[in-house]
Amino acid sequence: QVQLVESGGGSVQAGGSLRLSCAASGYTASSRCMGWFRQAPDEEREWVAVIDSDGTIHYADSVKGRFTISKDNAKNTLYLQMNSLKPEDTAMYNCAADTSPCGVSNSELDFGFWGHGTQVTVSS
């Protein structure tokens, strides 16, 4: 089992930045792929960015050039640096992990471990 706890969400104006963190504990060695998903009210959950254990990274088109995913293996912590935030980035952001490799495109069905989420609100 892997436990994931997100932090770093908040409210920011458009154009601002936030950095999300996801602390992993438990059997973290089993986490091959880790990533971030988000879900806005009345919308389906969508993947944002993923990072594989070999360092391979994939981003959703909607965040390319603005968001950066990274991982500190010594601290078992996943990060999401979000710059140039837009109102449409407003959502609940969840950290996720799985034993399988990351894909170029990812579905929530591909991930077995989830955090409870942290809210990001971007005002115009």
Side-chain angles (χ1 to χ4, degrees):
Q1 288 291 331
V2 177
Q3 292 79 45
L4 304 170
V5 179
E6 303 94 334
S7 62
S11 296
V12 65
Q13 289 192 327
S17 299
L18 283 173
R19 188 195 196 198
L20 306 183
S21 299
C22 172
S25 61
Y27 189 49
T28 57
S30 67
S31 298
R32 169 70 189 269
C33 180
M34 296 190 72
W36 292 94
F37 283 74
R38 67 185 182 185
Q39 186 170 22
D42 300 322
E43 299 286 338
E44 291 187 355
R45 182 176 285 171
E46 62 174 355
W47 77 283
V48 175
V50 295
I51 182 167
D52 210 317
S53 58
D54 65 359
T56 302
I57 290 173
H58 300 288
Y59 293 101
D61 288 342
S62 58
V63 305
K64 278 181 182 177
R66 301 188 298 122
F67 291 10
T68 302
I69 189 171
S70 61
K71 188 169 60 170
D72 186 329
N73 290 323
K75 296 181 178 180
N76 288 326
T77 301
L78 180 73
Y79 301 100
L80 185 69
Q81 177 67 44
M82 304 185 295
N83 298 328
S84 302
L85 282 161
K86 305 175 181 179
E88 51 263 44
D89 294 318
T90 295
M92 177 69 73
Y93 284 70
N94 292 91
C95 173
D98 199 75
T99 57
S100 299
C102 296
V104 175
S105 180
N106 298 270
S107 164
E108 61 180 312
L109 300 178
D110 298 327
F111 290 79
F113 304 106
W114 291 87
H116 290 294
T118 184
Q119 178 68 36
V120 171
T121 302
V122 184
S123 59
S124 57

